[in-house]
């Protein structure tokens, strides 16, 4: 499909507004999805980091209190 001029290419025999609006919506949605994905990824990483810090804090508190229970292995004769 060859066009006589650039303006004819933009108009596309009356279909131009629909075609270019479709391209515009597509690219806007792609950009929005990329931004949303990056923000979501950062939020998940931050949530995991906070969870690990909470777990590390619990372990430190348990270590400071001492072991809650101790287990020893007992060998019992099977006679």
């Amino acid at each position: 499909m060859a066009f006589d001029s650039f303006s004819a290419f933009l108009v596309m025999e009356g279909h131009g507004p629909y075609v270019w609006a479709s391209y515009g919506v597509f690219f806007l949605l792609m950009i929005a999805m990329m931004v949303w994905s990056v923000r979501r990824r950062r939020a998940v990483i931050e949530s995991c980091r906070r969870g690990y810090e909470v777990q590390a804090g619990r372990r430190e508190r348990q270590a400071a209190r001492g072991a809650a229970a101790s287990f020893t292995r007992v060998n019992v004769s099977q006679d």
Side-chain angles (χ1 to χ4, degrees):
M1 185 190 291
F3 295 99
D4 294 333
S5 65
F6 187 69
S7 63
F9 172 70
L10 293 178
V11 174
M12 292 187 183
E13 298 176 0
H15 299 289
Y18 169 75
V19 171
W20 297 119
S22 297
Y23 274 111
V25 168
F26 170 77
F27 284 113
L28 284 174
L29 288 175
M30 290 302 290
I31 290 169
M33 285 177 60
M34 286 189 295
V35 168
W36 180 79
S37 295
V38 168
R39 287 179 142 184
R40 184 70 187 136
R41 180 179 181 270
R42 287 181 183 163
V44 167
I45 290 172
E46 179 65 21
S47 174
C48 289
R49 186 187 61 77
R50 279 184 271 138
Y52 288 134
E53 287 176 354
V54 167
Q55 287 178 355
R58 287 181 189 157
R59 285 189 199 119
E60 288 174 3
R61 285 193 301 271
Q62 283 180 348
R65 283 187 286 162
S70 62
F71 299 95
T72 57
R73 184 172 184 88
V74 177
N75 291 328
V76 178
S77 171
Q78 297 294 324
D79 292 331

